[in-house]
Amino acid sequence: MSGGVFSKLDPDIITFHILPHLDGKTLIILSSVSSQFHNLICSNNNNNNSENLWRNICISTWPSLAITLAVPDFKNFHSNVISILPGGYRTFFSDAFPSINSPDLNVINHPPSPPYLIRFYFASDMFLRGQPQPFASLRGTQLLHTEYAPHRSVPECIAFRFGMNHQKHKLKNFIKVKKQGIEEYLKQNLTFSCVVIETKETKRAGSLFTPGCKPVEVKRATSGRVVKVIFETLLPSLSNFYTQMIKCRTKVYCYWQGDAEDKFCVGCVSSTFKDMNGKRLWERDAAIIILNAIINGERKNKQN
């Protein structure tokens, strides 16, 4: 490290006592300062210090990456999913932390046609403002069939829909929330993130909903026990069969367990893709749109 106070420090001091206290965005900037910093932050040669550094940063941003599920691909999420990405957690952070913005529709490079089957992994986290721990963390996987072209005669069962059920997770978190004014409370305080990972065709990740995303609408069911929190984002459709933009609409279903107010939790998350006229997307088109977001989506750093 040429010049400066860091050139006088032992590399172990930097690795174990300085770098772990920096956030991921700062680390990416610092890695471009010099080859020495790049090696300390990005290289996995001969040790796992860099991978552990990025793993801790990713898990602090997306706690859902650390949950344990009794699903084959999730029993060891690191070896089955994250380690397949070139650069592991560092690549995951670089892909997933910036928000994906819709590229110019006139200069889109279409992603390759998806294979007959393609699997996406999803990781979602919900936080309440002022709470250090996540309100809910969920992971799920979706295997999409892509052999059908959109046609009215194709059965509705292959229309794209994705869900994650919190009943299957042991980390359900109960909090105390008053029923009166719950709609405004969640709209002001609940944030949502959702990362999608593809490990075969692209070996990349992308944020459909970047950390800190706020709901566009909160509805309370007639029964009074269930509250539906809605998040939305827009993506290019890439098909004349739909409108130019597609709306990804995600609903987070929360409820009180029992009649008291001290056990409020997340039950499930459900996502659908529709065009601006309300037409549901088929699985093939949803797969292409997700791949395009991962490959061609313009990454923009969030403003502090």
Side-chain angles (χ1 to χ4, degrees), residues 14 17 36 41 57 67 77 96 105 124 131 139 144 165 171 174 177 184 214 218 238 242 285 288 292:
I14 299 175
H17 298 282
Q36 288 87 347
I41 295 170
I57 288 174
I67 63 178
F77 192 69
L105 294 173
S124 294
Q131 300 294 324
R139 280 212 311 265
L144 300 185
N165 191 336
L171 298 183
F174 293 104
V177 179
E184 186 63 23
K214 289 190 173 184
V218 180
L238 307 178
Y242 307 103
D285 299 301
I288 292 173
N292 181 64

Side-chain angles (χ1 to χ4, degrees), residues 279-293:
K279 185 186 297 182
R280 290 279 300 275
L281 265 69
W282 308 111
E283 286 194 351
R284 173 182 174 82
D285 299 301
I288 292 173
I289 286 172
I290 294 173
L291 285 175
N292 181 64

Side-chain angles (χ1 to χ4, degrees), residues 233-253:
T233 189
L234 296 177
L235 297 168
S237 72
L238 307 178
S239 171
N240 293 330
F241 190 73
Y242 307 103
T243 56
Q244 277 194 328
M245 301 301 292
I246 296 297
K247 182 182 294 184
C248 174
R249 185 176 177 89
T250 296
K251 301 175 184 178
V252 178
Y253 292 88

Side-chain angles (χ1 to χ4, degrees), residues 217-234:
E217 188 177 2
V218 180
K219 296 180 178 180
R220 189 169 176 182
T222 306
S223 64
R225 288 186 58 188
V226 178
V227 182
K228 181 170 59 177
V229 189
I230 301 171
F231 300 85
E232 293 180 348
T233 189
L234 296 177

Side-chain angles (χ1 to χ4, degrees), residues 125-128 186 189-193 211-215 231:
D125 292 283
M126 284 137 275
F127 282 88
L128 284 168
L186 292 179
N189 294 283
L190 183 65
T191 61
F192 175 76
S193 68
C213 182
K214 289 190 173 184
F231 300 85

Side-chain angles (χ1 to χ4, degrees), residues 134-245:
F135 177 39
S137 295
L138 301 90
R139 280 212 311 265
T141 182
Q142 180 86 329
L143 185 65
L144 300 185
H145 295 74
T146 65
E147 76 276 25
Y148 296 108
H151 192 276
R152 292 180 182 177
S153 64
V154 177
E156 180 70 14
C157 64
I158 66 164
F160 174 77
R161 184 180 182 88
F162 175 71
M164 291 178 285
N165 191 336
H166 209 183
Q167 301 289 351
K168 299 178 181 178
H169 296 63
K170 295 181 179 180
L171 298 183
K172 182 178 290 186
N173 182 30
F174 293 104
I175 62 170
K176 184 176 182 179
V177 179
K178 292 183 178 181
K179 295 181 180 180
Q180 185 176 359
I182 184 63
E183 295 92 340
E184 186 63 23
Y185 173 77
L186 292 179
K187 194 167 186 178
Q188 296 297 325
N189 294 283
L190 183 65
T191 61
F192 175 76
S193 68
C194 182
V195 179
V196 58
I197 310 165
E198 197 284 312
T199 60
K200 299 294 185 182
E201 298 296 308
T202 65
K203 294 182 173 62
R204 293 190 64 183
S207 282
L208 294 180
F209 294 91
T210 193
C213 182
K214 289 190 173 184
V216 297
E217 188 177 2
V218 180
K219 296 180 178 180
R220 189 169 176 182
T222 306
S223 64
R225 288 186 58 188
V226 178
V227 182
K228 181 170 59 177
V229 189
I230 301 171
F231 300 85
E232 293 180 348
T233 189
L234 296 177
L235 297 168
S237 72
L238 307 178
S239 171
N240 293 330
F241 190 73
Y242 307 103
T243 56
Q244 277 194 328
M245 301 301 292

